[in-house]
C-alpha cells in the first residue's frame, strides 16, 4: 500500500471528470477491495445510483469522492464491507481521516434532505457545505456534537470506568456530551459528577479528535480529584474504580484520544 501524504479538505457537489479516490459506504461500512485497498471506479460501476455523493477534499492532488448507499447493494466478489472502527491502525492515518470526514458529511447529507421546520425538500447551497429550505429559508450545516472527555487523577492512581457497551474488561476515561449553554469546563465537571459522583478541579486541556460515530468531536482534559466516593451512575456506567498506575486494565485502542490521554498521564507521572 502506498502511504498517502497531504490532505486538503474541500466540499464540492460537482463531480470530477478524471481519476478519483473512491470512498464508498454501504450503510455504515466502507467498501474495500479484498486486499484492503480502496475500490476503483470500475469496480463500483455496476452499483445503482448513490443516494448521496460529493467531493470531500484532495489527497495528494487526487479528488476524494464520497458516495453512500443507505441500504444493501450487490457488491462484486472482490469487494468487502468494513466498519470504520475495525480499521483503526490498519490503514494509513491519512486514509482514515479522509474516510472519517466522508462518513460524517454523507451522514449529514442523508439526514438533511427535508427541512426540519416545515418538511419541504431542501436544496444544496452552491458554494458552501449547507442546505436550504426553499419554502421557509431555514439553513442547515453539517452537525458536530462536542463531547468532553475527562481523565481524573490522584497521586499514583487513575479513575477509569466502563460502559455496558465496552468489550469485556475494557476501561476508559469518562466522557459526556456538551449541553446547550454549557462551557467545556462546566461539562467536564458535570460529567464526572453525574457518572461517578466525585468532584474535580485543575482541569488541564490535552487535545481533541474527530469521532465519526456518527458526528462527534472529542475534547479531552486531565483533572485532579477533589472529593467524593466513587458511585457509578446506574444505566450509564457499569463499573468505575481507582487503578494504580502500574496495574491498569485493558485500555482503548492506541489510536484513540482516550488511550493517548491515559498514556500522557503515565508519562507525566513517570517524569515527576
Amino acid at each position: 500500500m502506498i502511504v498517502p501524504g497531504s490532505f486538503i479538505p474541500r466540499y464540492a457537489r460537482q463531480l470530477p471528470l478524471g481519476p478519483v479516490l473512491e470512498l464508498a459506504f454501504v450503510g455504515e461500512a466502507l467498501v474495500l477491495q479484498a486486499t484492503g485497498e480502496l475500490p476503483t471506479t470500475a469496480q463500483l460501476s455496476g452499483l445503482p445510483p448513490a443516494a448521496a455523493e460529493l467531493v470531500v477534499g484532495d489527497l495528494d492532488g487526487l479528488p476524494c469522492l464520497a458516495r453512500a448507499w443507505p441500504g444493501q447493494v450487490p457488491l462484486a466478489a472482490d469487494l468487502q464491507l468494513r466498519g470504520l472502527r475495525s480499521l483503526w491502525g490498519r490503514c494509513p492515518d491519512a486514509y482514515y481521516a479522509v474516510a472519517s470526514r466522508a462518513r460524517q458529511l454523507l451522514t449529514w447529507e442523508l439526514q438533511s434532505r427535508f427541512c426540519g421546520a416545515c418538511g419541504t425538500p431542501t436544496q444544496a447551497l452552491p458554494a458552501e457545505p449547507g442546505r436550504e429550505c426553499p419554502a421557509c429559508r431555514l439553513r442547515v450545516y453539517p452537525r458536530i456534537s462536542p463531547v468532553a472527555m475527562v481523565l481524573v487523577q490522584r497521586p499514583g492512581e487513575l479513575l477509569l470506568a466502563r460502559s455496558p457497551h465496552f468489550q469485556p474488561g475494557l476501561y476508559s476515561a469518562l466522557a459526556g456530551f456538551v449541553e446547550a449553554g454549557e462551557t467545556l469546563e462546566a461539562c467536564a465537571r458535570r460529567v464526572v459528577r453525574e457518572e461517578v459522583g466525585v468532584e474535580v478541579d485543575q482541569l488541564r486541556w490535552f487535545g481533541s479528535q474527530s469521532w465519526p460515530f456518527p458526528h462527534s468531536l472529542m475534547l479531552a482534559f486531565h483533572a485532579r480529584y477533589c472529593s467524593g466516593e466513587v458511585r457509578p451512575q446506574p444505566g450509564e456506567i457499569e463499573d468505575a474504580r481507582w487503578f494504580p498506575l502500574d496495574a491498569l486494565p485493558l485500555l482503548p485502542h492506541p489510536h484513540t484520544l482516550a488511550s493517548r490521554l491515559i498514556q500522557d498521564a503515565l508519562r507525566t507521572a513517570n517524569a515527576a
Side-chain angles (χ1 to χ4, degrees), residues 134-241:
C136 69
R137 297 304 175 186
L138 176 70
R139 286 192 174 189
V140 292
Y141 295 89
R143 175 181 174 184
I144 299 174
S145 303
V147 175
M149 177 181 293
V150 192
L151 180 61
V152 184
Q153 306 167 52
R154 67 185 184 187
E157 293 182 309
L158 301 180
L159 178 55
L160 301 175
R162 58 171 285 106
S163 162
H165 308 294
F166 287 178
Q167 68 182 86
L170 188 144
Y171 284 73
S172 186
L174 300 168
F177 286 101
V178 180
E179 296 185 353
E182 192 174 45
T183 66
L184 286 175
E185 294 81 3
C187 175
R189 294 186 178 93
R190 174 184 57 80
V191 165
V192 175
R193 184 183 308 117
E194 289 180 352
E195 294 192 346
V196 294
V198 305
E199 300 294 331
V200 298
D201 67 2
Q202 295 188 14
L203 288 171
R204 178 167 59 88
W205 170 253
F206 173 70
S208 63
Q209 182 178 46
S210 178
W211 191 249
F213 305 110
H215 40 58
S216 296
L217 176 64
M218 312 298 288
L219 305 142
F221 295 87
H222 291 291
R224 187 187 72 166
Y225 166 79
C226 278
S227 62
E229 295 295 325
V230 175
R231 298 186 305 276
Q233 182 181 16
E236 292 290 331
I237 303 297
E238 185 177 86
D239 186 37
R241 65 182 78 170

